[in-house]
Structure formats: C-alpha cells, structure tokens
Amino acid sequence: MEDLIVIGAGIVGLATAREALRRRPGISVLVLEKADDVASAQTGHNSGVIHAGLYYAPGSLKARLCRAGEKATKDFCDEHGIHYETVGKLVVATDDVEIERLKALAERAAENGIKVEHINRDRLAEMEPNVRGREALISPATGIVDFRDVAHAMARDIEQMGGRVITRSQVRSIDERSGASGKVVVGSDTGEYQTRQLVACAGLQADRVATMGGLDIDFQIIPFRGEYYQLPHDRWGIVQRLIYPVPDPDLPFLGVHLSPTIDGRITVGPNAVLGFSRERYPRGSITGRDVARFLAFPGMWRFAMNNIQTGVEEMRSSYFPRGYLKLVRKYCPGLELADLRPYPAGIRAQAIMRDGTSVEDFLFRSTDHQLHVCNAPSPAATSAIPIGALIVDKILGSDRD
C-alpha cells in the first residue's frame, strides 16, 4: 500500500511528489509516467521562461503561485547547480492602443507585487538596438532555463528520498474504494498498485484520467499547438532580453515574441492554433480519437463561435509565414522571411468548460481519496514548486517542517 501515487511525471507531478516526501519523510510515494522518460510532454516542450507574474489577474492562483514560483525555481536551480539566466523581459508598445494597454499592465503588475519599470523610446533603443517601440515595460526578474533539467533534478530528489518514479507505465484504470479503510486501486502497464491518496497531474489527458477516476467533469481538454520558428545562428544576438508584444486582454495568449533560450538560440513564437492530436507534435498530426472527442463536445463549438476571427488569423499565420513575420516585425523590423527556420512546436492543454469559456486559472477537482489537476496553464512550469506545496497542503495538511 502506497501513501501517495502521482500520475504524471511532468514538472507539476514531480514537484508534488518531491514536496510530499520533504513534508513527511519516510512515506511511500510512487510516480507513474506512461512515457519513456520524465518531462516528455508539455514540460519538455516548454518555452523555458521563468515568468515573473505581471500578467495575471490579482488574487488569482496564477498570480500568487507565479510570484512564489519565480523565486522558488531560481532557488532550486541554485541548490542543484542548474544553469539559468535572469535576462529580463521587455513588453513593447508600438501604437496608441498598446500604450493604453501597457499602462493597465503596469497597474496589474503593481497589484501583484511585481517590479516593473517604464522605458521610453530612446532608452528602449539603447537597451535593444534592433527593437522598435514607442514605450515598453521591463520586468527585470524574468529568466530562462531548461525545465527538463529542473524536472530531472526533481526526479533524482524523489528517488534519493525513497520515492519511486516508474516510466513506461500508463494508467489503465482507477478504482476508488470508500469506507473506513478507503483506498484507490490503480491498474497500469507495470501492475496494480494501491494507495491511500492519488494525485493526477495528467496534463493533456487530465479530463480522461479524471473520468477514469469516476469524477463527473464539466470540462474538456482541448489541445492548442504553439508553433515556433528559430533564427539562424548569425541572428542569435539580435536581442539580449525576452521581447513580448503587449497582449490583447480579450485573448488568453500572449502573442508572438522573441525569446533567447538557455542554449543561446532565439525562438520566434508561439501562435495558438487548434491541435488535432493531443500528444503528436509534428505539423499535420491527427489523432482520430482526439478529434472525435472535441467535435462531440458542445463547449468546443461555443468556444469556436466566440473566437472565429482570432482562430482564422492564427491559422493563417500557421500556414503562411509572411503573416507570422508581420506580427514580429511590428517590434523587430530587421527580421526577414529567410530568418524563420523550423523549430519544434509545443501543445498547450487548455480546459474548456461546457458553456464554451476557457479556464484561465489553475483548476482542481477532488474526491475523498483523489485530487486531479485539471488545468495547469502557463506559468505552470514556473509555478510548479508552490503548486506542489498547495496540492500537498490539500492532501496531507499544511504542517510544514
């Protein structure tokens, strides 16, 4: 009998297992992962940004957990010798509408306790000679890291504290048994396990795993592809910081941005287009089961009707690189079409409610012996350590060493 089983060895699942072992040394903790290695899905296709938390609605879990996560992630990297860089982020306004939105963004950052500074046109040109804008905000605490390195270090910690991480072990069944000695029986590719508490951090399969656990859910996970390009080697020095457009507050995505990565590259992206496969990353991938599921979901049709124009524009930029280039040339006019080179895409697991609204914060569902992380959007990687602590508070209590 395990004390805790965690489904999913992405960064949130690993952070949860690690925190449980830190909180209660000696308990038995098992992590089950269906892939060949940890961090193989969303964590392994992450943009690598350590977010500071300036965008998120004050009072939301996103805002609180990201602010704590930025520091916790850097502290974890320092403790484990993981290379990261605090390069800073510039949010660049290029017209009157964006300037007004930039002011609102600065106010939101202040409410969230995030340090930002206004930058005028001249100083922006000094800081980033290849970037053009009328005004900007700088977030000096924003950084970059390879979250796969963070996840692997977490997995090592788990095993050193006596926990187990088993890969190639897809969960096939979940049976919660109530009563005085309540437990959950988990059937998997590597056998049957029993546990007093189950936590599911299943990412792109969160709705399916929740249903498997007997939960009556009112949402579905819809995959959105985030497609990127990378710049050629001779353009890697075009910017020194993360360069973001001012986001449209009516949209859930932050827009196409320029991002230095920890290995020295510069990526351009992402867009956000409907994906036709939850876990196949090459362009054109289709999984019939995934498509059939969202086509049968009323919330998907309501969401689509409310976002037709945005969806068409995102699809156009996906298939016609000139449209993609136009978005980034608003603030970096020196880029050319030939500079956009292929780069692996990511897939975002977006929870959509039955009424067609997208869930923009972290979403949890639970039973007596199960807790399911049903929506963990960006900045989940940055926030993973405090998310893990929050989950352990829920399942083990908040008594911390």
Side-chain angles (χ1 to χ4, degrees):
M1 172 78 76
E2 305 289 339
D3 293 304
L4 172 64
I5 289 178
V6 177
I7 299 174
I11 194 168
V12 174
L14 293 168
T16 300
R18 177 177 177 269
E19 178 62 20
L21 286 161
R22 292 178 71 243
R23 191 86 59 87
R24 299 282 180 85
I27 67 170
S28 57
V29 176
L30 172 64
V31 182
L32 298 176
E33 168 57 48
K34 71 177 182 179
D36 294 344
D37 197 4
V38 305
S40 63
Q42 290 185 101
T43 302
H45 294 81
N46 188 279
S47 65
V49 177
I50 304 173
H51 292 282
L54 64 157
Y55 296 110
Y56 312 118
S60 66
L61 282 174
K62 269 189 177 184
R64 177 163 64 87
L65 296 175
C66 187
R67 184 173 62 248
E70 176 261 320
K71 182 179 186 303
T73 299
K74 292 175 181 177
D75 289 346
F76 182 90
C77 290
D78 289 336
E79 179 184 348
H80 291 78
I82 298 170
H83 178 57
Y84 69 94
E85 296 178 16
T86 305
V87 295
K89 174 196 292 185
L90 282 165
V91 183
V92 180
T94 60
D95 57 34
D96 290 342
V97 172
E98 291 181 350
I99 288 173
E100 289 303 310
R101 290 175 178 170
L102 199 69
K103 293 176 182 176
L105 185 60
E107 292 171 0
R108 173 167 286 194
E111 288 186 69
N112 286 333
I114 307 301
K115 180 182 178 182
V116 295
E117 180 184 352
H118 273 285
I119 303 296
N120 63 26
R121 185 197 303 263
D122 292 340
R123 187 163 175 217
L124 175 62
E126 291 175 4
M127 296 173 70
E128 294 286 353
N130 295 304
V131 173
R132 298 290 181 269
R134 291 172 55 185
E135 292 184 19
L137 282 181
I138 185 167
S139 167
T142 303
I144 53 176
V145 73
D146 188 335
F147 280 108
R148 290 171 297 187
D149 293 340
V150 177
H152 279 97
M154 287 181 174
R156 290 192 294 271
D157 278 359
I158 290 165
E159 292 177 338
Q160 288 169 6
M161 288 187 283
R164 293 182 293 160
V165 179
I166 301 179
T167 57
R168 301 180 185 177
S169 184
Q170 182 168 347
V171 171
R172 304 291 181 177
S173 64
I174 300 171
D175 179 15
E176 181 172 344
R177 300 176 185 176
S178 58
S181 57
K183 62 184 177 182
V184 182
V185 180
V186 180
S188 77
D189 289 347
T190 55
E192 184 176 277
Y193 306 93
Q194 298 183 18
T195 182
R196 294 179 176 86
Q197 185 69 49
L198 175 74
V199 172
C201 302
L204 286 153
Q205 304 296 340
D207 53 345
R208 288 172 173 152
V209 173
T211 301
M212 189 188 301
L215 282 75
D216 182 15
I217 60 172
D218 54 354
F219 69 92
Q220 188 178 124
I221 295 297
I222 305 297
F224 283 89
R225 287 175 56 81
E227 297 171 334
Y228 290 85
Y229 293 95
Q230 64 177 323
L231 301 185
H233 188 274
D234 61 359
R235 297 289 241 167
W236 283 8
I238 195 168
V239 294
Q240 303 302 311
R241 299 164 184 82
L242 295 146
I243 310 296
Y244 279 58
V246 180
D248 184 336
D250 294 329
L251 300 178
F253 309 113
L254 297 180
V256 173
H257 41 270
L258 289 173
S259 302
T261 64
I262 201 65
D263 62 0
R265 302 171 191 269
I266 302 287
T267 63
V268 185
N271 59 2
V273 295
L274 180 64
F276 296 101
S277 179
R278 295 196 188 195
E279 295 183 339
R280 296 171 61 193
Y281 288 87
R283 180 189 287 272
S285 294
I286 299 176
T287 299
R289 178 187 179 211
D290 295 340
V291 175
R293 186 172 175 86
F294 72 64
L295 287 178
F297 180 57
M300 179 60 203
W301 291 101
R302 295 183 179 114
F303 177 83
M305 291 300 295
N306 292 332
N307 294 275
I308 289 176
Q309 182 177 350
T310 300
V312 170
E313 291 173 355
E314 292 291 309
M315 193 66 73
R316 184 186 297 121
S317 72
S318 173
Y319 286 97
F320 301 99
R322 288 187 183 278
Y324 209 99
L325 180 66
K326 183 179 179 180
L327 296 174
V328 75
R329 288 188 68 173
K330 282 186 65 177
Y331 55 84
C332 191
L335 290 177
E336 302 293 341
L337 190 61
D339 293 325
L340 301 182
R341 307 290 177 83
Y343 191 78
I347 300 177
R348 170 177 174 164
Q350 177 62 58
I352 302 292
M353 305 302 291
R354 184 167 291 275
D355 65 3
T357 57
S358 61
V359 181
E360 298 308 321
D361 208 350
F362 300 107
L363 178 68
F364 303 93
R365 293 286 187 266
S366 61
T367 67
D368 289 344
H369 300 283
Q370 300 179 59
L371 188 149
H372 291 252
V373 181
C374 298
N375 195 61
S378 178
T382 299
S383 307
I385 293 173
I387 293 173
L390 176 67
I391 292 170
V392 173
D393 285 349
K394 292 177 180 290
I395 63 172
L396 296 182
S398 58
D399 51 316
R400 305 188 186 195
D401 295 332

